Amino acid sequence: MIIRRATLDDAPAIASLAGELGYPTEPAEMRARLAALNPEDGALFVGVAGVAVIGWAHVAEVRLVESDSYAELRGLVVAAALRSRGVGARLLGAAEAWTRDRGLSRLRVRSNVTRERTHAFYERHGYTTTKSQKVFDKRL
């Protein structure tokens, strides 16, 4: 398996994996999202086995008024049939390396409270829970 930057041609596989996260997306919509990403602010890595994209990780820099900049892992998913084989760890490693290369000293991960297996994954990789919060959305 190799880890590399995603390309627009990866959109169908990335969309399919987003569906496994609970965010179903059509390939054309994913292609548009990928095209709109600013490479100055983030990176999307894919794990590839043979010719198949089997996982992805999206990391981006967060700039705030109230605190120093940091990186945030916006999403990480590995195909369900291939979990617990080190793919997620390698994708997380790519996101951490990108963070260090940007001169940032913190990588934040947000995870739904229901994803207990995911929480254990991050804890095994040295992440600690620093706060719990509610998320509010309003359709405009």
Side-chain angles (χ1 to χ4, degrees):
M1 184 199 61
I2 64 164
I3 303 294
R4 63 166 171 77
R5 294 279 187 123
T7 68
L8 290 177
D9 291 337
D10 297 321
I14 293 168
S16 177
L17 289 164
E20 289 193 33
L21 271 180
Y23 303 100
T25 307
E26 292 297 320
E29 174 60 28
M30 184 57 72
R31 187 176 183 86
R33 290 179 190 172
L34 297 180
L37 289 177
N38 182 347
E40 297 294 318
D41 293 333
L44 179 61
F45 298 100
V46 291
V48 181
V51 297
V53 172
I54 60 172
W56 58 260
H58 178 210
V59 61
E61 185 170 347
V62 177
R63 294 181 192 94
L64 301 171
V65 172
E66 69 271 16
S67 70
D68 290 337
S69 295
Y70 60 91
E72 184 170 273
L73 189 65
R74 299 284 172 88
L76 187 151
V77 61
V78 174
L82 299 171
R83 292 180 186 153
S84 298
R85 297 183 187 186
V87 178
R90 297 221 12 229
L91 288 164
L92 183 60
E96 290 174 351
W98 181 90
T99 300
R100 282 190 295 276
D101 290 347
R102 299 278 297 202
L104 301 170
S105 61
R106 180 170 48 131
L107 177 58
R108 173 172 280 175
V109 178
R110 298 175 193 270
S111 180
N112 190 309
V113 296
T114 63
R115 298 185 192 272
E116 294 179 10
R117 183 175 177 199
T118 301
H119 303 165
F121 167 81
Y122 289 118
E123 289 169 349
R124 280 193 310 275
H125 287 87
Y127 290 77
T128 58
T129 302
T130 56
K131 76 177 182 179
S132 296
Q133 62 187 148
K134 292 185 179 187
V135 176
F136 296 89
D137 284 331
K138 180 179 180 180
R139 296 267 180 212
L140 302 174

